[in-house]
Amino acid sequence: TLKLKFMNEGIKVKNYTMELSLSKKYASNTIIEVDKQSEKELFAEVYKLAKYFKEELNYDFVPFCPYGDLREDYKALLFTEQAYDEFATDPMPYRIYGACNFGIQKFTKEPDRWVLKWIWFHPFFRNRGYLKKNWNKLEEKFGNFLIESPISNDMNSFLENINSKYEHIVI
């Protein structure tokens, strides 16, 4: 199991462990879509990673509901890869290393658009090309989506690196 002790600095020091799940049931080497028809355990996985997002960025709330009631205008995604370090039996297990959430933003004078509400990858999977590898899949699925602010420095660097012209939206 991939674990990482993580400490936030600030007024209070938080100390917690980020554990990533392995699955033989959900065999996808890229992205698993989570919508209102998905199994509850997939919602639990997105919620767990949303909690890590909250802790790392010091948000006041977890930006995902664990109860499986996503409306049509929301989609969550889980990012996975084969867990070669855990290969012992067939089928090969997959490690869930990241999640994101999209929602539809309704406009009065413009067409509705998808908005990337948040995205989080385990620190081990950052700066290794995983987001870049999956970015085209996000564009194919959600078109010319907006990105909700605030945007982390790492995400800003990524967008600059890919010469992104994505618009930011403050909600």
Side-chain angles (χ1 to χ4, degrees), residues 104-115 144-147 167-169:
I104 294 258
Q105 178 66 43
K106 299 190 180 295
F107 295 100
T108 52
K109 296 181 181 181
E110 295 179 39
D112 298 348
R113 289 183 53 196
W114 285 102
V115 176
N144 185 23
F145 59 86
L146 301 168
I147 300 175
E167 301 171 67
H168 303 171
I169 185 168

Side-chain angles (χ1 to χ4, degrees), residues 15-33:
N15 193 3
Y16 59 96
T17 301
M18 296 180 204
E19 294 189 37
L20 298 179
S21 297
L22 292 174
S23 174
K24 291 184 179 183
K25 184 176 180 181
Y26 303 106
S28 169
N29 202 28
T30 53
I31 295 174
I32 299 170
E33 186 172 321

Side-chain angles (χ1 to χ4, degrees), residues 53 59 74 101-103 105 115-119 146 148 171:
F53 173 87
Y59 275 47
Y74 283 90
N101 196 27
F102 280 85
Q105 178 66 43
V115 176
L116 175 60
K117 308 295 264 175
W118 60 270
I119 188 166
L146 301 168
E148 187 172 298
I171 297 181

